[in-house]
mmCIF file of all heavy atoms in Angstrom:
data_model
loop_
_atom_site.group_PDB
_atom_site.id
_atom_site.type_symbol
_atom_site.label_atom_id
_atom_site.label_comp_id
_atom_site.label_asym_id
_atom_site.label_seq_id
_atom_site.Cartn_x
_atom_site.Cartn_y
_atom_site.Cartn_z
ATOM 1 N N VAL A 256 -6.172 9.438 6.932
ATOM 2 C CA VAL A 256 -5.548 10.014 5.731
ATOM 3 C C VAL A 256 -4.626 11.075 6.218
ATOM 4 O O VAL A 256 -5.071 12.132 6.747
ATOM 5 C CB VAL A 256 -6.590 10.618 4.781
ATOM 6 C CG1 VAL A 256 -5.929 11.135 3.485
ATOM 7 C CG2 VAL A 256 -7.648 9.534 4.389
ATOM 8 N N SER A 257 -3.290 10.833 6.037
ATOM 9 C CA SER A 257 -2.322 11.790 6.394
ATOM 10 C C SER A 257 -1.992 12.684 5.185
ATOM 11 O O SER A 257 -1.702 12.199 4.093
ATOM 12 C CB SER A 257 -1.022 11.092 6.861
ATOM 13 O OG SER A 257 0.002 12.093 7.124
ATOM 14 N N LEU A 258 -2.004 14.029 5.385
ATOM 15 C CA LEU A 258 -1.775 14.970 4.300
ATOM 16 C C LEU A 258 -0.399 15.520 4.270
ATOM 17 O O LEU A 258 -0.212 16.692 3.936
ATOM 18 C CB LEU A 258 -2.781 16.084 4.450
ATOM 19 C CG LEU A 258 -4.295 15.595 4.509
ATOM 20 C CD1 LEU A 258 -5.245 16.782 4.716
ATOM 21 C CD2 LEU A 258 -4.657 14.780 3.296
ATOM 22 N N GLY A 259 0.621 14.717 4.604
ATOM 23 C CA GLY A 259 1.974 15.119 4.450
ATOM 24 C C GLY A 259 2.591 15.733 5.629
ATOM 25 O O GLY A 259 3.694 16.245 5.527
ATOM 26 N N GLY A 260 1.919 15.636 6.776
ATOM 27 C CA GLY A 260 2.540 16.135 8.003
ATOM 28 C C GLY A 260 2.335 17.571 8.266
ATOM 29 O O GLY A 260 2.923 18.130 9.268
ATOM 30 N N HIS A 261 1.725 18.374 7.361
ATOM 31 C CA HIS A 261 1.473 19.817 7.600
ATOM 32 C C HIS A 261 0.013 20.147 7.359
ATOM 33 O O HIS A 261 -0.668 19.428 6.601
ATOM 34 C CB HIS A 261 2.384 20.606 6.718
ATOM 35 C CG HIS A 261 2.166 20.312 5.267
ATOM 36 N ND1 HIS A 261 2.853 19.261 4.618
ATOM 37 C CD2 HIS A 261 1.420 20.945 4.356
ATOM 38 C CE1 HIS A 261 2.524 19.281 3.322
ATOM 39 N NE2 HIS A 261 1.642 20.305 3.123
ATOM 40 N N CYS A 262 -0.467 21.176 7.967
ATOM 41 C CA CYS A 262 -1.848 21.546 7.838
ATOM 42 C C CYS A 262 -2.107 22.065 6.449
ATOM 43 O O CYS A 262 -1.343 22.852 5.886
ATOM 44 C CB CYS A 262 -2.221 22.643 8.856
ATOM 45 S SG CYS A 262 -2.161 21.997 10.571
ATOM 46 N N THR A 263 -3.201 21.590 5.876
ATOM 47 C CA THR A 263 -3.652 22.044 4.528
ATOM 48 C C THR A 263 -5.148 21.944 4.450
ATOM 49 O O THR A 263 -5.778 21.405 5.305
ATOM 50 C CB THR A 263 -2.969 21.176 3.450
ATOM 51 O OG1 THR A 263 -3.210 21.771 2.190
ATOM 52 C CG2 THR A 263 -3.469 19.775 3.501
ATOM 53 N N SER A 264 -5.675 22.566 3.338
ATOM 54 C CA SER A 264 -7.120 22.496 3.141
ATOM 55 C C SER A 264 -7.351 21.911 1.749
ATOM 56 O O SER A 264 -6.471 22.041 0.832
ATOM 57 C CB SER A 264 -7.697 23.931 3.206
ATOM 58 O OG SER A 264 -7.500 24.508 4.449
ATOM 59 N N GLY A 265 -8.529 21.286 1.604
ATOM 60 C CA GLY A 265 -8.845 20.690 0.341
ATOM 61 C C GLY A 265 -10.045 19.771 0.436
ATOM 62 O O GLY A 265 -10.899 19.914 1.345
ATOM 63 N N THR A 266 -10.131 18.800 -0.466
ATOM 64 C CA THR A 266 -11.247 17.865 -0.494
ATOM 65 C C THR A 266 -10.749 16.473 -0.612
ATOM 66 O O THR A 266 -9.933 16.170 -1.484
ATOM 67 C CB THR A 266 -12.202 18.220 -1.670
ATOM 68 O OG1 THR A 266 -12.606 19.554 -1.589
ATOM 69 C CG2 THR A 266 -13.426 17.317 -1.661
ATOM 70 N N ILE A 267 -11.292 15.578 0.251
ATOM 71 C CA ILE A 267 -11.028 14.119 0.145
ATOM 72 C C ILE A 267 -12.321 13.506 -0.424
ATOM 73 O O ILE A 267 -13.379 13.722 0.076
ATOM 74 C CB ILE A 267 -10.740 13.455 1.483
ATOM 75 C CG1 ILE A 267 -9.374 14.020 2.026
ATOM 76 C CG2 ILE A 267 -10.672 11.973 1.404
ATOM 77 C CD1 ILE A 267 -9.078 13.570 3.469
ATOM 78 N N THR A 268 -12.154 12.768 -1.572
ATOM 79 C CA THR A 268 -13.262 12.097 -2.225
ATOM 80 C C THR A 268 -12.915 10.621 -2.323
ATOM 81 O O THR A 268 -11.826 10.235 -2.677
ATOM 82 C CB THR A 268 -13.522 12.689 -3.565
ATOM 83 O OG1 THR A 268 -13.640 14.127 -3.475
ATOM 84 C CG2 THR A 268 -14.809 12.129 -4.155
ATOM 85 N N VAL A 269 -13.952 9.716 -2.015
ATOM 86 C CA VAL A 269 -13.818 8.330 -2.105
ATOM 87 C C VAL A 269 -14.696 7.870 -3.209
ATOM 88 O O VAL A 269 -15.887 8.202 -3.286
ATOM 89 C CB VAL A 269 -14.195 7.622 -0.790
ATOM 90 C CG1 VAL A 269 -14.054 6.130 -0.881
ATOM 91 C CG2 VAL A 269 -13.334 8.156 0.387
ATOM 92 N N PHE A 270 -14.109 7.114 -4.127
ATOM 93 C CA PHE A 270 -14.890 6.497 -5.292
ATOM 94 C C PHE A 270 -14.873 5.021 -5.186
ATOM 95 O O PHE A 270 -13.862 4.440 -4.715
ATOM 96 C CB PHE A 270 -14.299 6.940 -6.605
ATOM 97 C CG PHE A 270 -14.259 8.429 -6.876
ATOM 98 C CD1 PHE A 270 -13.123 9.159 -6.521
ATOM 99 C CD2 PHE A 270 -15.338 9.116 -7.433
ATOM 100 C CE1 PHE A 270 -13.141 10.552 -6.800
ATOM 101 C CE2 PHE A 270 -15.320 10.480 -7.647
ATOM 102 C CZ PHE A 270 -14.188 11.155 -7.352
ATOM 103 N N ASP A 271 -15.922 4.362 -5.683
ATOM 104 C CA ASP A 271 -15.893 2.916 -5.748
ATOM 105 C C ASP A 271 -15.293 2.500 -7.069
ATOM 106 O O ASP A 271 -14.966 3.340 -7.910
ATOM 107 C CB ASP A 271 -17.272 2.288 -5.507
ATOM 108 C CG ASP A 271 -18.269 2.583 -6.605
ATOM 109 O OD1 ASP A 271 -17.868 3.147 -7.639
ATOM 110 O OD2 ASP A 271 -19.475 2.319 -6.398
ATOM 111 N N ILE A 272 -15.204 1.293 -7.358
ATOM 112 C CA ILE A 272 -14.510 0.749 -8.543
ATOM 113 C C ILE A 272 -15.314 1.115 -9.793
ATOM 114 O O ILE A 272 -14.761 1.215 -10.961
ATOM 115 C CB ILE A 272 -14.341 -0.764 -8.474
ATOM 116 C CG1 ILE A 272 -13.375 -1.285 -9.561
ATOM 117 C CG2 ILE A 272 -15.729 -1.528 -8.580
ATOM 118 C CD1 ILE A 272 -12.019 -0.719 -9.536
ATOM 119 N N GLN A 273 -16.597 1.458 -9.668
ATOM 120 C CA GLN A 273 -17.437 1.886 -10.789
ATOM 121 C C GLN A 273 -17.276 3.391 -11.103
ATOM 122 O O GLN A 273 -17.918 3.904 -12.049
ATOM 123 C CB GLN A 273 -18.855 1.479 -10.624
ATOM 124 C CG GLN A 273 -19.067 -0.029 -10.443
ATOM 125 C CD GLN A 273 -18.619 -0.789 -11.652
ATOM 126 O OE1 GLN A 273 -18.820 -0.392 -12.726
ATOM 127 N NE2 GLN A 273 -18.054 -1.959 -11.347
ATOM 128 N N GLY A 274 -16.529 4.073 -10.261
ATOM 129 C CA GLY A 274 -16.421 5.538 -10.451
ATOM 130 C C GLY A 274 -17.404 6.325 -9.708
ATOM 131 O O GLY A 274 -17.495 7.548 -9.823
ATOM 132 N N ARG A 275 -18.281 5.665 -8.951
ATOM 133 C CA ARG A 275 -19.352 6.414 -8.208
ATOM 134 C C ARG A 275 -18.728 7.041 -6.989
ATOM 135 O O ARG A 275 -17.905 6.362 -6.222
ATOM 136 C CB ARG A 275 -20.500 5.445 -7.821
ATOM 137 C CG ARG A 275 -21.289 4.958 -8.997
ATOM 138 C CD ARG A 275 -22.418 4.110 -8.517
ATOM 139 N NE ARG A 275 -21.966 2.862 -7.875
ATOM 140 C CZ ARG A 275 -21.983 1.711 -8.450
ATOM 141 N NH1 ARG A 275 -22.504 1.580 -9.714
ATOM 142 N NH2 ARG A 275 -21.577 0.617 -7.827
ATOM 143 N N MET A 276 -19.113 8.308 -6.730
ATOM 144 C CA MET A 276 -18.588 8.999 -5.519
ATOM 145 C C MET A 276 -19.317 8.452 -4.269
ATOM 146 O O MET A 276 -20.512 8.457 -4.222
ATOM 147 C CB MET A 276 -18.828 10.490 -5.634
ATOM 148 C CG MET A 276 -18.214 11.267 -4.505
ATOM 149 S SD MET A 276 -18.401 13.054 -4.730
ATOM 150 C CE MET A 276 -20.156 13.231 -4.479
ATOM 151 N N ILE A 277 -18.570 7.948 -3.320
ATOM 152 C CA ILE A 277 -19.075 7.381 -2.117
ATOM 153 C C ILE A 277 -19.108 8.403 -0.968
ATOM 154 O O ILE A 277 -20.134 8.537 -0.240
ATOM 155 C CB ILE A 277 -18.304 6.147 -1.660
ATOM 156 C CG1 ILE A 277 -18.230 5.097 -2.793
ATOM 157 C CG2 ILE A 277 -18.871 5.459 -0.404
ATOM 158 C CD1 ILE A 277 -19.632 4.618 -3.251
ATOM 159 N N GLN A 278 -17.990 9.167 -0.898
ATOM 160 C CA GLN A 278 -17.945 10.180 0.199
ATOM 161 C C GLN A 278 -17.212 11.372 -0.324
ATOM 162 O O GLN A 278 -16.356 11.242 -1.249
ATOM 163 C CB GLN A 278 -17.145 9.567 1.355
ATOM 164 C CG GLN A 278 -17.843 8.435 2.093
ATOM 165 C CD GLN A 278 -16.935 7.646 2.998
ATOM 166 O OE1 GLN A 278 -16.462 6.622 2.617
ATOM 167 N NE2 GLN A 278 -16.669 8.193 4.171
ATOM 168 N N ASN A 279 -17.537 12.537 0.194
ATOM 169 C CA ASN A 279 -16.885 13.802 -0.215
ATOM 170 C C ASN A 279 -16.704 14.610 1.093
ATOM 171 O O ASN A 279 -17.740 15.005 1.680
ATOM 172 C CB ASN A 279 -17.699 14.507 -1.203
ATOM 173 C CG ASN A 279 -16.883 15.612 -1.926
ATOM 174 O OD1 ASN A 279 -15.827 15.330 -2.426
ATOM 175 N ND2 ASN A 279 -17.395 16.844 -1.954
ATOM 176 N N ILE A 280 -15.483 14.773 1.476
ATOM 177 C CA ILE A 280 -15.184 15.455 2.782
ATOM 178 C C ILE A 280 -14.314 16.686 2.583
ATOM 179 O O ILE A 280 -13.271 16.568 1.944
ATOM 180 C CB ILE A 280 -14.508 14.453 3.736
ATOM 181 C CG1 ILE A 280 -15.381 13.231 4.001
ATOM 182 C CG2 ILE A 280 -14.158 15.156 5.116
ATOM 183 C CD1 ILE A 280 -14.666 12.140 4.764
ATOM 184 N N HIS A 281 -14.778 17.816 3.054
ATOM 185 C CA HIS A 281 -13.985 19.032 2.964
ATOM 186 C C HIS A 281 -13.026 19.153 4.157
ATOM 187 O O HIS A 281 -13.470 18.946 5.326
ATOM 188 C CB HIS A 281 -14.851 20.235 2.936
ATOM 189 C CG HIS A 281 -15.750 20.253 1.671
ATOM 190 N ND1 HIS A 281 -15.219 20.624 0.408
ATOM 191 C CD2 HIS A 281 -17.063 19.999 1.489
ATOM 192 C CE1 HIS A 281 -16.183 20.563 -0.435
ATOM 193 N NE2 HIS A 281 -17.295 20.171 0.173
ATOM 194 N N VAL A 282 -11.748 19.412 3.903
ATOM 195 C CA VAL A 282 -10.731 19.454 4.878
ATOM 196 C C VAL A 282 -10.322 20.926 5.048
ATOM 197 O O VAL A 282 -10.033 21.655 4.079
ATOM 198 C CB VAL A 282 -9.469 18.598 4.510
ATOM 199 C CG1 VAL A 282 -8.398 18.796 5.616
ATOM 200 C CG2 VAL A 282 -9.882 17.206 4.343
ATOM 201 N N LEU A 283 -10.380 21.399 6.304
ATOM 202 C CA LEU A 283 -9.985 22.792 6.534
ATOM 203 C C LEU A 283 -8.825 22.838 7.504
ATOM 204 O O LEU A 283 -8.951 22.514 8.702
ATOM 205 C CB LEU A 283 -11.179 23.605 7.145
ATOM 206 C CG LEU A 283 -10.968 25.083 7.440
ATOM 207 C CD1 LEU A 283 -10.573 25.845 6.144
ATOM 208 C CD2 LEU A 283 -12.180 25.697 8.075
ATOM 209 N N ASN A 284 -7.648 23.262 7.008
ATOM 210 C CA ASN A 284 -6.459 23.510 7.838
ATOM 211 C C ASN A 284 -6.150 22.321 8.787
ATOM 212 O O ASN A 284 -6.090 22.504 10.003
ATOM 213 C CB ASN A 284 -6.644 24.773 8.661
ATOM 214 C CG ASN A 284 -5.303 25.295 9.165
ATOM 215 O OD1 ASN A 284 -4.284 25.074 8.580
ATOM 216 N ND2 ASN A 284 -5.339 26.040 10.275
ATOM 217 N N SER A 285 -5.959 21.186 8.135
ATOM 218 C CA SER A 285 -5.719 19.962 8.985
ATOM 219 C C SER A 285 -4.550 19.179 8.341
ATOM 220 O O SER A 285 -4.316 19.302 7.180
ATOM 221 C CB SER A 285 -6.985 19.086 9.039
ATOM 222 O OG SER A 285 -6.781 17.930 9.748
ATOM 223 N N SER A 286 -3.891 18.369 9.164
ATOM 224 C CA SER A 286 -2.757 17.556 8.653
ATOM 225 C C SER A 286 -3.184 16.089 8.499
ATOM 226 O O SER A 286 -2.474 15.292 7.796
ATOM 227 C CB SER A 286 -1.549 17.632 9.614
ATOM 228 O OG SER A 286 -1.922 17.148 10.839
ATOM 229 N N LYS A 287 -4.311 15.735 9.155
ATOM 230 C CA LYS A 287 -4.773 14.326 8.972
ATOM 231 C C LYS A 287 -6.262 14.306 9.162
ATOM 232 O O LYS A 287 -6.844 15.123 9.900
ATOM 233 C CB LYS A 287 -4.073 13.388 9.934
ATOM 234 C CG LYS A 287 -4.305 13.676 11.399
ATOM 235 C CD LYS A 287 -3.534 12.697 12.270
ATOM 236 C CE LYS A 287 -2.058 12.746 12.072
ATOM 237 N NZ LYS A 287 -1.329 11.816 13.022
ATOM 238 N N VAL A 288 -6.920 13.277 8.597
ATOM 239 C CA VAL A 288 -8.368 13.144 8.696
ATOM 240 C C VAL A 288 -8.651 11.679 8.999
ATOM 241 O O VAL A 288 -8.131 10.793 8.296
ATOM 242 C CB VAL A 288 -9.025 13.548 7.337
ATOM 243 C CG1 VAL A 288 -10.533 13.272 7.513
ATOM 244 C CG2 VAL A 288 -8.801 15.036 7.121
#
């Protein structure tokens, strides 16, 4: 997951088609995960 080529912080969340949260990853000062 590229976050636009610059370092940023936030949260990446993956949901399935039913809307259930599959993964939740906290991003700290990174440009890609």
Side-chain angles (χ1 to χ4, degrees):
V256 181
S257 175
L258 305 177
H261 58 276
C262 293
T263 188
S264 299
T266 304
I267 294 174
T268 308
V269 180
F270 300 93
D271 67 12
I272 192 62
Q273 301 300 322
R275 294 184 292 258
M276 185 177 70
I277 304 300
Q278 295 162 261
N279 196 53
I280 301 170
H281 296 284
V282 180
L283 181 62
N284 197 28
S285 179
S286 62
K287 62 179 62 176
V288 175

